[in-house]
Amino acid sequence: MQTVESDTQGLLRFSRYAFPPNRLGYCGGEDHAGLYQYMAAQKVDGGLRDMAKNFEGAYPYLRLIAHSVGIEDPLDERVVEAYWLGNAWLDRVTPYDFYRFLEQYYKKVMAPTRFDMLKDSLTQGARPHHNFHVFGIFLYLQKSLTGSVPRMERVLGMVDGCRISWGQVITVIGNQLIVNRPPVMIKDDQWVIGKPVPVRVDWKLDHDGRLWEVHAGDVVSIHWGWASERLKAPQVARLITDTRTFLKLANQRFLCE
């Protein structure tokens, strides 16, 4: 049974991942400042739920996962975790249901041969996870819509920024963290996870208090240069495992052109 706590935490958790691309103008509505205010105040109401529905890329995936586990609310905290980080609920989405989802949302906007490759991946580890979307769909939507894959430098920047990554905090410097984060890169025409390197990421804005405490040694999830939340060891392990699986599928069926 869904609880008020699950509803509250699910919406706030979704917001922490949705805010970074929203503030860059990539997805969602136009009020990224309002979205941040909800996060900082830990406030949940119908307005925040409406904002979440404006994320036309992510929200349908949440509906799919919720339907597969028999949950009415796509913004239940466990559904949100499944999409951004991965968990056991992600595995309950059948290849058939995932195929019907992809057919509905992406078949008409992808080249037929590319969609056939996408379909073949469904029995080889594909899941309705944000990182699968980044590696398996996002880049090739660009090709289908524009006729070409963006330049390699831009490909790397988009993929590495958009995917959910992980990094261990080295130090906290005001509104930023220095984290040891493994990048995704292309080596010998293959997508690979590189060795961790220190990078700066944001974790709060000047005019608001801390969204959560963070300390050196913590592992955080990162989306578009923003630390979204602290991760526990099982969450890190699941995110790494799923990311490797999706990269393997990308190398087998979605090699960069």
Side-chain angles (χ1 to χ4, degrees):
M1 181 178 179
Q2 185 175 324
T3 65
V4 172
E5 177 68 15
S6 177
D7 178 73
T8 299
Q9 293 306 313
L11 276 163
L12 291 174
R13 195 175 203 174
F14 178 82
S15 301
R16 289 197 295 270
Y17 287 94
F19 170 73
N22 186 235
R23 73 169 176 163
L24 296 173
Y26 291 149
C27 54
E30 298 180 357
D31 189 12
H32 68 272
L35 181 59
Y36 185 85
Q37 288 299 321
Y38 274 112
M39 294 159 51
Q42 300 288 289
K43 176 184 175 183
V44 168
D45 61 22
L48 180 56
R49 183 172 290 274
D50 288 342
M51 284 183 172
K53 292 178 181 178
N54 285 329
F55 287 82
E56 297 178 352
Y59 197 74
Y61 280 100
L62 299 178
R63 287 203 307 260
L64 169 65
I65 297 167
H67 173 76
S68 296
V69 298
I71 294 291
E72 291 185 5
D73 184 10
L75 291 162
D76 179 280
E77 184 178 14
R78 294 156 293 180
V79 173
V80 172
E81 180 185 51
Y83 173 67
W84 294 113
L85 298 176
N87 62 25
W89 279 15
L90 198 66
D91 303 326
R92 291 171 61 179
V93 181
T94 66
Y96 176 77
D97 285 343
F98 195 16
Y99 170 75
R100 294 300 300 270
F101 170 87
L102 295 171
E103 185 179 46
Q104 177 182 355
Y105 286 96
Y106 297 111
K107 186 174 184 178
K108 291 181 179 179
V109 294
M110 294 184 78
T113 55
R114 187 63 65 185
F115 186 80
D116 287 343
M117 292 180 185
L118 179 65
K119 180 175 65 176
D120 289 344
S121 71
L122 296 177
T123 57
Q124 300 178 35
R127 296 286 186 275
H129 186 293
H130 180 75
N131 284 0
F132 175 76
H133 179 87
V134 172
F135 299 135
I137 298 175
F138 172 71
L139 287 178
Y140 304 99
L141 282 179
Q142 302 302 306
K143 179 174 176 59
S144 296
L145 294 173
T146 67
S148 63
V149 172
R151 291 174 55 186
M152 186 62 65
E153 305 83 32
R154 184 161 170 76
V155 166
L156 285 171
M158 289 190 300
V159 168
D160 202 35
C162 189
R163 62 141 180 155
I164 306 303
S165 59
W166 57 93
Q168 185 169 40
V169 177
I170 300 172
T171 188
V172 181
I173 305 176
N175 299 330
Q176 294 187 317
L177 309 175
I178 306 297
V179 301
N180 227 15
R181 171 186 177 272
V184 159
M185 58 184 64
I186 296 175
K187 183 178 181 180
D188 298 328
D189 294 326
Q190 298 280 295
W191 293 104
V192 298
I193 299 174
K195 294 181 179 180
V197 295
V199 297
R200 284 180 179 260
V201 299
D202 295 327
W203 72 289
K204 67 187 184 76
L205 300 181
D206 283 328
H207 57 278
D208 286 303
R210 298 176 184 273
L211 297 181
W212 31 265
E213 291 295 328
V214 61
H215 305 282
D218 290 342
V219 177
V220 296
S221 56
I222 302 162
H223 193 203
W224 283 115
W226 181 273
S228 295
E229 65 175 319
R230 289 192 307 270
L231 299 180
K232 298 177 181 178
Q235 292 173 315
V236 178
R238 173 75 196 227
L239 182 58
I240 292 173
T241 297
D242 282 348
T243 300
R244 285 175 174 164
T245 296
F246 304 148
L247 284 174
K248 181 179 179 180
L249 290 174
N251 288 329
Q252 290 174 348
R253 304 192 179 277
F254 302 110
L255 291 176
C256 222
E257 298 176 7

